Amino acid sequence: MQLDIIYQDEFLVAINKPSGLLVHRSLIDKHETQFAMQLLRDQIGQHVFPVHRLDRPTSGVLVFALSSEVARKLGEQFFQQKIAKTYLAIVRGHVADEGEIDYALKEKLDKIADKMSKQDKPAQAAVTFFSKLHAFELSFAVGRYPTARYSLVKLTPKTGRKHQLRRHLAHINHPILGDTTHGDGKHNRFVREQYGLQQLALTCKSMHFQHPVSLESLSLHCPLSKGFSNLLEAWQVSQDQLTELSKL
């Protein structure tokens, strides 16, 4: 697999991670053979250091440092919440025009990977801002209603908890399409069978931060995946509107 490199200099490299690709080896998926970290290392011919994570089903901007020192500096920015991230998601239902989800999340631990972790941690503060970009209504009775409603939303998380966006959207009853853990199985099956969406409809569209060495402002953007853009096109989002989305 050839990864899509969206930025590279002598200090860091960023890719557009495809949905379904693990960032690095995991005890949870011990039979998996492909990982972004190893693929990128082989592709550019040097060791890379992960500085943040994207869930396996989430696509989009993923940044690696090219030295441990740069990884430390970038890690500090993530820890201090100085990294601005913009996500796009397609969710069930018509959301409000904009809003804030302030809902603490208790860390979900895996029985294998987190068996040595403290099991009774208190819930951690978690905040996500959202704004509706498009609303869709299809003449299909997927659940108990005569039509199927969806929204394209822009998400800007203030915190970075595990599965935060997926859990927050499910908390306000607008789960992300394709989410097999926190989502709606009927709607997931509908968009998969009717429109061929085989992924989680969530992508980290852009990331803005201070370059850890030059100290200049750096903005990284990635295109929408084919499955994501195909679904929007099928729902009559124009090319001009898709072009505007590509700038987010």
Side-chain angles (χ1 to χ4, degrees):
M1 177 188 295
Q2 191 80 358
L3 296 173
D4 177 19
I5 295 176
I6 59 175
Y7 179 85
Q8 184 176 4
D9 62 22
E10 59 184 303
F11 304 107
L12 54 89
V13 59
I15 66 169
N16 180 10
K17 186 187 86 68
S19 175
L21 182 65
L22 285 166
V23 174
H24 49 65
R25 294 183 186 278
S26 168
L27 290 173
I28 305 172
D29 298 278
K30 58 184 179 180
H31 301 297
E32 187 55 71
T33 59
Q34 289 191 318
F35 315 91
M37 187 174 171
Q38 283 75 23
L39 289 169
L40 184 58
R41 176 199 63 196
D42 295 344
Q43 188 169 325
I44 67 174
Q46 67 182 106
H47 191 67
V48 298
F49 299 77
V51 294
H52 69 114
R53 293 179 58 183
L54 284 179
D55 294 344
R56 181 176 187 169
T58 304
S59 61
V61 179
L62 181 64
V63 180
F64 293 88
L66 296 179
S67 71
S68 58
E69 177 62 16
V70 171
R72 182 188 64 79
K73 291 181 178 179
L74 273 175
E76 288 176 355
Q77 289 192 53
F78 276 97
F79 180 75
Q80 296 170 4
Q81 299 176 4
K82 293 182 177 180
I83 308 286
K85 294 173 283 186
T86 298
Y87 288 77
L88 287 180
I90 303 173
V91 304
R92 185 194 70 189
H94 285 173
V95 301
D97 289 343
E98 59 183 22
E100 174 185 332
I101 308 169
D102 186 348
Y103 178 67
L105 296 172
K106 191 170 179 61
E107 185 176 3
K108 290 194 172 183
L109 301 176
D110 183 83
K111 293 180 181 179
I112 300 174
D114 300 314
K115 64 180 180 180
M116 302 302 292
S117 300
K118 186 178 179 181
Q119 301 295 310
D120 57 347
K121 293 181 181 179
Q124 298 173 300
V127 178
T128 302
F129 298 98
F130 69 87
S131 60
K132 181 172 65 181
L133 302 179
H134 291 279
F136 309 96
E137 185 163 7
L138 312 179
S139 55
F140 291 90
V142 178
R144 54 181 175 170
Y145 301 105
T147 60
R149 293 182 172 187
Y150 304 102
S151 299
L152 173 66
V153 294
K154 180 174 74 171
L155 304 169
T156 50
K158 184 179 178 181
T159 52
R161 308 306 180 197
K162 187 176 182 180
H163 298 172
Q164 175 175 317
L165 299 181
R166 295 161 63 186
R167 294 170 70 185
H168 267 181
L169 271 297
H171 173 68
I172 64 170
N173 295 315
H174 294 291
I176 299 173
L177 293 185
D179 190 340
T180 57
T181 304
H182 309 283
D184 184 315
K186 290 182 179 179
H187 286 269
N188 291 346
R189 185 165 54 253
F190 167 69
V191 294
R192 183 174 61 248
E193 295 176 353
Q194 190 72 26
Y195 298 101
L197 183 71
Q198 303 286 339
Q199 65 178 83
L200 177 69
L202 175 66
T203 186
C204 181
K205 190 66 181 59
S206 61
M207 192 176 294
H208 309 272
F209 56 93
Q210 184 183 63
H211 192 287
V213 178
S214 71
L215 304 184
E216 294 179 352
S217 179
L218 186 61
S219 295
L220 306 178
H221 301 261
C222 69
L224 291 174
S225 70
K226 197 65 178 173
F228 205 117
S229 59
N230 282 349
L231 183 59
L232 294 178
E233 287 180 11
W235 291 353
Q236 307 303 310
V237 174
S238 70
Q239 285 299 319
D240 287 344
Q241 291 171 320
L242 288 173
T243 298
E244 287 301 309
L245 290 176
S246 70
K247 299 174 182 178
L248 292 176

